[in-house]
């Protein structure tokens, strides 16, 4: 995060640091446990890390992170799954969209510590264990619903939620309810086609 | 972002006891801030506009009244922690208070509506470019007494109603217009206990204290809103005009609710957005319509009354005709609606 002091960097390269953070206290995999997040005691020193637990793509993980860490940075820099993208980091582009307790939200405007105890689904966890791809992922491929691909993980998660919310009634409704995901390549017509393709398949799968 | 401590109390009583200095954002500079979803506050903290040293997260409060939507024959009550998306799709609100549902649905994106709380929504900060960019030293809202960069700057998005020589920043929200039009009340809880007061008294005109956005006391948190039922709430709508079709703040908007007796206006409630420094109740326009037959001529006269005191600055004069046309269209559309 911009302007955030990082005591671990120094001369250590980014990848080295990330690797170290993974094996250190920053993110500990506890697979698979379902237990309530510990209630953090009120802190008076802003330097003390926030301790909390998130369930990410079905795996419970403990975190000890600077309270300023957003959910997006926790995913990308500490869990080291980089599907959720940092586009604007201001809640304007939708590239960081993830599902929290099944609802699409912006991970760049969510403090990781405020998501404690919740289930987070990223693009990496979208397809079921037995499926190669989720129907929406396949539809994006079939309909050529992207060019550069940067906004695509956010688009796909948003599209999945759009169908599940019942907001994919027609093209106009899809456009309105997908308006929080910007695509600089302007693949919009193909994104609408992909949502239309995946919608009946998602409904069959559910039934 | 500057460092801060984080607390997530589970009870409202603990909030008032342990965080008596916490602010729902009365002033940009308040060191202890209440946190809802953070869709506005975290953005402003990243921009270094808001610099709290302590955040008190209210979303962990385990109190059903804060999370419920309740409708009785006499009123609608909305808990402060209800998310925008939830209220926007509530079947009773859609049927009986459509102006509330539409104001919510036309705001932000579905991701933000899934996150943002109703209490936080009404307290969102202005989108004034000079307020949001700390490279500009002169912003009376951010740095009291430093001047107003917008007055001599790019002011296309700025307010034509309710401005002062010290601040012309527009109130950016939509839901607040629907609440103020329907005579909503705000419920709060703070160190001095609970109180309930008209929503119209929540936001403060900039005057010579533009750094004070709200009338909430230190430690006082919004717990909910009540909207009185009335024969006008079903025949209501929110019309929002913006630079793009979706996911954008209003250039001009109108919240209207209407009760007809035959062809004559028996009661009407009007609020304007995108054009004023605070959620703006257009009482002069309402007065102009009582007892008349609503048509293009009378609606235009009401719109003229609504903007009679408008003071355009440099590039925002277009908001006067746009605001009038928005109100005329909203009135004619709501009159044609099934009552």
């Amino acid at each position: 995060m911009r302007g955030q002091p990082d005591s671990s960097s120094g001369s250590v390269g980014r990848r080295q640091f990330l690797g170290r953070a993974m094996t250190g206290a920053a993110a500990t995999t506890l697979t698979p446990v379902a237990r309530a997040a510990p209630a953090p005691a009120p802190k008076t020193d802003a330097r003390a890390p926030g301790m909390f637990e998130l369930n990410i793509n079905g795996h419970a993980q403990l975190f000890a992170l600077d309270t300023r860490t957003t959910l997006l940075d926790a995913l990308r820099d500490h869990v080291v799954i980089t599907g959720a993208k940092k586009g604007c980091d201001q809640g304007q582009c939708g590239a960081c969209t993830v599902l929290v307790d099944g609802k699409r939200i912006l991970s760049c405007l969510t403090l990781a510590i405020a998501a404690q105890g919740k289930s987070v689904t990223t693009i990496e966890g979208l397809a079921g264990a037995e499926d190669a791809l989720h129907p929406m992922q396949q539809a994006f491929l079939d309909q050529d619903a992207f060019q550069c691909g940067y906004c695509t993980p956010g688009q796909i998660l948003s599209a999945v939620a759009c169908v599940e919310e019942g907001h994919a009634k027609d093209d106009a409704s899809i456009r309105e309810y997908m308006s929080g995901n910007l695509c600089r390549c302007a693949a919009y017509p193909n994104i609408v086609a992909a949502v239309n393709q995946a919608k009946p398949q998602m409904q069959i799968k559910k039934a | 972002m500057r460092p801060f401590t984080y607390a997530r109390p589970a009870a409202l009583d603990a909030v008032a006891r342990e965080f008596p200095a916490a602010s729902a954002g009365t002033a940009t500079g308040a060191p202890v801030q209440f946190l809802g979803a953070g869709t506005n506050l975290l953005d402003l903290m990243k921009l270094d506009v808001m610099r709290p040293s302590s955040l008190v997260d209210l979303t962990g409060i385990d109190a059903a009244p804060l999370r419920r939507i309740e409708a009785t024959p006499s009123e609608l009550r909305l808990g402060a922690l209800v998310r925008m998306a939830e209220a926007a799709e509530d079947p009773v609100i859609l049927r009986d208070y459509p102006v509330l549902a539409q104001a919510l649905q036309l705001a932000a994106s579905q991701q933000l509506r899934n996150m943002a709380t109703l209490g936080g929504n009404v307290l969102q900060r202005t989108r004034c470019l000079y307020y949001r960019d700390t490279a500009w030293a002169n912003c009376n809202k951010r740095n009291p007494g430093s001047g107003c960069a917008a007055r001599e700057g790019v002011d296309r998005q700025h307010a034509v109603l309710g401005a002062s020589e010290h601040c012309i920043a527009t109130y950016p929200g939509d839901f607040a217009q629907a609440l103020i039009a329907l005579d909503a009340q705000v419920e709060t809880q703070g160190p001095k206990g609970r109180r309930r007061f008209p929503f119209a008294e929540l936001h403060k005109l900039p005057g010579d204290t533009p750094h004070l956005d709200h009338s909430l006391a230190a430690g006082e948190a919004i717990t909910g809103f009540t909207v009185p039922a009335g024969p006008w709430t079903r025949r209501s709508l929110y019309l929002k005009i913006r630079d793009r079709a979706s996911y954008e703040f209003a250039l001009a908007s109108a919240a209207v609710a209407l009760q007809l007796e035959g062809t004559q206006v028996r009661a009407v409630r009007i609020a304007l957005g995108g054009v004023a420094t605070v959620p703006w109740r257009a009482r002069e326009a309402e007065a102009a319509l009582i007892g008349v037959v609503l048509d293009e001529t009378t609606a235009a006269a009401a719109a003229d009354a609504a903007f009679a005191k408008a003071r355009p600055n440099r590039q925002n004069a277009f908001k006067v005709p746009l605001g009038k046309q928005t109100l005329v269209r909203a009135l004619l559309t709501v009159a044609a609606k099934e009552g």
Side-chain angles (χ1 to χ4, degrees):
Chain A
M1 194 179 303
R2 192 164 14 118
Q4 186 170 323
D6 183 350
S7 57
S8 314
S9 43
S11 62
V12 182
R14 183 170 173 272
R15 295 213 172 270
Q16 270 176 293
F17 166 64
L18 292 178
R20 194 172 302 172
M22 269 302 282
T23 53
T28 310
T29 304
L30 299 172
T31 18
V33 260
R35 62 182 172 84
K43 297 189 290 100
T44 50
D45 186 345
R47 289 170 296 190
M51 302 275 291
F52 56 94
E53 186 179 301
L54 296 174
N55 185 308
I56 295 166
N57 296 329
H59 301 283
Q61 297 195 302
L62 268 183
F63 293 86
L65 295 175
D66 188 309
T67 47
R68 290 170 291 180
T69 313
T70 61
L71 178 57
L72 177 63
D73 286 336
L75 292 170
R76 291 181 58 82
D77 295 348
H78 299 282
V79 189
V80 201
I81 49 175
T82 56
K85 294 291 185 278
K86 188 181 277 194
C88 68
D89 207 25
Q90 289 192 310
Q92 297 179 3
C93 75
C96 68
T97 300
V98 298
L99 307 181
V100 170
D101 289 345
K103 293 197 164 160
R104 48 176 160 162
I105 60 108
L106 299 179
S107 60
C108 78
L109 288 184
T110 302
L111 288 177
I113 194 170
Q116 59 190 284
K118 296 187 174 160
S119 289
V120 181
T121 304
T122 69
I123 194 74
E124 290 88 348
L126 184 61
E130 71 278 16
D131 304 312
L133 291 174
H134 184 281
M136 191 64 76
Q137 290 173 307
Q138 187 60 50
F140 267 64
L141 287 172
D142 295 345
Q143 297 295 335
D144 200 15
F146 51 86
Q147 286 184 49
C148 82
Y150 192 81
C151 71
T152 309
Q155 296 278 5
I156 290 175
L157 287 167
S158 201
V160 168
C162 182
V163 171
E164 285 178 352
E165 290 157 7
H167 289 142
K169 288 190 286 266
D170 50 35
D171 287 3
S173 174
I174 293 168
R175 283 195 201 96
E176 170 60 32
Y177 282 90
M178 290 295 291
S179 71
N181 293 82
L182 305 188
C183 172
R184 286 298 301 270
C185 308
Y188 297 114
N190 300 13
I191 292 170
V192 173
V195 176
N196 279 322
Q197 175 184 319
K199 182 171 71 167
Q201 295 162 358
M202 285 175 64
Q203 283 156 354
I204 289 164
K205 225 173 139 62
K206 219 170 192 179
Chain B
M1 199 189 296
R2 294 174 192 234
F4 56 84
T5 59
Y6 171 90
R8 188 180 169 86
L12 261 182
D13 294 343
V15 173
R17 196 172 54 243
E18 292 168 33
F19 307 99
S23 167
T26 303
T28 293
V32 186
Q33 294 278 344
F34 286 136
L35 175 69
T39 57
N40 192 214
L41 178 56
L42 289 180
D43 181 28
L44 290 170
M45 286 167 68
K46 289 182 186 188
L47 294 170
D48 209 30
V49 169
M50 296 191 73
R51 304 167 176 184
S53 54
S54 203
L55 292 185
V56 181
D57 184 349
L58 298 180
T59 62
I61 289 173
D62 187 20
L66 269 70
R67 299 181 185 279
R68 256 200 317 248
I69 299 170
E70 297 161 273
T72 66
S74 63
E75 68 177 25
L76 172 73
R77 189 183 173 286
L78 300 155
L81 293 181
V82 170
R83 310 286 167 162
M84 289 172 74
E86 200 185 326
E89 301 192 8
D90 181 86
V92 174
I93 299 178
L94 280 165
R95 187 191 66 203
D96 295 343
Y97 301 87
V99 64
L100 291 171
Q102 291 162 13
L104 289 162
Q105 199 277 320
L106 292 170
S109 67
Q110 186 69 7
Q111 287 96 316
L112 289 163
R113 293 191 293 267
N114 278 339
M115 301 166 72
T117 64
L118 298 182
N121 174 273
V122 301
L123 299 177
Q124 68 185 291
R125 304 280 168 173
T126 183
R127 308 302 292 192
C128 173
L129 300 168
Y130 303 98
Y131 171 77
R132 288 174 57 82
D133 184 350
T134 57
W136 302 100
N138 43 344
C139 171
N140 287 322
K141 208 177 250 311
R142 184 159 38 77
N143 282 328
S146 62
C148 174
R151 285 210 76 91
E152 307 284 314
V154 176
D155 59 14
R156 178 177 181 270
Q157 66 169 184
H158 288 75
V160 295
L161 290 166
S164 75
E165 61 177 303
H166 304 292
C167 185
I168 56 171
T170 305
Y171 174 78
D174 299 295
F175 180 52
Q177 271 69 254
L179 287 175
I180 202 170
L182 296 183
D183 290 312
Q185 301 261 315
V186 192
E187 294 171 8
T188 66
Q189 186 168 333
K192 291 181 183 163
R194 295 179 188 188
R195 66 176 178 130
R196 184 174 152 151
F197 58 94
F199 184 82
E201 292 171 14
L202 178 64
H203 295 85
K204 291 166 79 96
L205 282 165
D208 51 12
T209 54
H211 61 292
L212 301 177
D213 279 358
H214 314 295
S215 59
L216 297 170
E220 186 176 22
I222 295 178
T223 52
F225 306 94
T226 53
V227 182
W232 46 81
T233 67
R234 275 201 180 192
R235 193 191 283 268
S236 69
L237 68 80
Y238 189 72
L239 177 63
K240 181 173 178 180
I241 305 298
R242 39 195 167 167
D243 278 330
R244 55 185 183 193
S246 181
Y247 196 18
E248 184 55 280
F249 293 94
L251 289 171
S253 71
V256 294
L258 183 67
Q259 182 190 9
L260 291 174
E261 199 166 62
T263 55
Q264 288 187 337
V265 175
R266 170 116 189 239
V268 63
R269 302 282 185 273
I270 300 171
L272 304 173
V275 293
T277 53
V278 291
W280 193 264
R281 180 78 179 263
R283 291 194 183 272
E284 297 85 351
E286 295 174 7
L289 287 170
I290 299 300
V292 308
V293 175
L294 188 53
D295 58 25
E296 197 144 359
T297 310
T298 54
D304 285 341
F307 284 85
K309 290 178 184 160
R311 294 285 174 271
N313 202 40
R314 289 144 56 102
Q315 294 125 25
N316 61 356
F318 76 97
K319 285 195 174 184
V320 176
L322 183 68
K324 288 182 185 179
Q325 287 158 16
T326 303
L327 177 54
V328 168
R329 193 171 121 200
L331 286 168
L332 296 178
T333 309
V334 84
K337 213 173 132 137
E338 290 286 314

